[in-house]
Amino acid sequence: MGVHEVLVLGDSDLLVYQIQGEWETRDLKLILYRQCLYDLCQRFQSVEFRHIPRIHNEVADALATLASMLHHPDKAYVYPLHIEVHDQHAYCNVVEEELDGEPWFHDIKEYIRMGVYPVQAIGDQKRAIQRLASGFFFSGWSSDERGMSSV
């Protein structure tokens, strides 16, 4: 697959520190696994292991849940999963440019600020604006408008 660098995130500090050689592997059953992992690491230019406390490892929990739901035949190829981490909410990435030239959140902001719906809004659209507005609040003031933050 052309992978040269690998970052391994683990929530078991014991295993992470053992594979890094910082802690000794005493369990005879684990020594063979450690050697196998060490041999695999030789295939890459760079391999880094990091310990992530379990309380901060929501991604591993989500992946474990997904894995428990999938049933694959023994020799099926499982395509790699590519995960991207963004510094903004996911809905910001899927909203295309609005036709009226306003930002995507303009109708929500006006509903919170003035309590009014867009002129063309009908029942379902009004309910959607109300529902979305419950996830935001004004976080500050400027001279001509208020700032908005998500809850």
Side-chain angles (χ1 to χ4, degrees):
M1 292 176 49
V3 176
H4 302 287
E5 297 178 355
V6 177
L7 171 62
V8 180
L9 304 174
D11 59 9
S12 168
D13 56 352
L14 173 67
L15 294 177
V16 169
Y17 293 131
Q18 283 179 338
I19 193 60
Q20 290 176 329
E22 295 178 32
W23 293 357
E24 185 179 344
T25 305
R26 294 183 182 170
D27 188 340
L28 295 176
K29 294 178 285 189
L30 295 180
I31 291 175
L32 291 175
Y33 288 112
R34 184 180 182 280
Q35 184 60 45
C36 179
L37 186 56
Y38 179 78
D39 292 342
L40 286 172
C41 290
Q42 301 309 307
R43 297 182 183 185
F44 301 98
Q45 292 174 357
S46 169
V47 179
E48 181 182 348
F49 291 87
R50 285 193 205 155
H51 173 250
I52 305 293
R54 289 182 190 197
I55 194 146
H56 298 294
N57 203 0
E58 298 90 4
V59 174
D61 292 340
L63 290 174
T65 301
L66 286 173
S68 70
M69 296 198 277
L70 299 175
H71 300 286
H72 294 284
D74 286 342
K75 298 197 182 229
Y77 178 77
V78 178
Y79 290 94
L81 179 63
H82 180 75
I83 299 173
E84 293 183 32
V85 178
H86 295 276
D87 59 355
Q88 62 186 13
H89 296 287
Y91 51 77
C92 297
N93 297 321
V94 296
V95 176
E96 296 178 7
E97 183 177 327
E98 296 291 327
L99 299 176
D100 61 3
E102 296 290 346
W104 65 268
F105 56 85
H106 176 74
D107 295 337
I108 301 167
K109 185 175 179 181
E110 288 303 303
Y111 176 76
I112 295 171
R113 190 167 64 89
M114 304 283 290
V116 296
Y117 297 102
V119 176
Q120 74 281 6
I122 58 173
D124 287 344
Q125 294 166 333
K126 289 180 179 181
R127 283 190 293 279
I129 290 171
Q130 277 183 318
R131 184 176 42 81
L132 290 168
S134 69
F136 293 89
F137 64 93
F138 286 114
S139 62
W141 295 84
S142 65
S143 59
D144 60 343
E145 63 179 38
R146 301 176 187 182
M148 262 178 67
S149 294
S150 64
V151 178

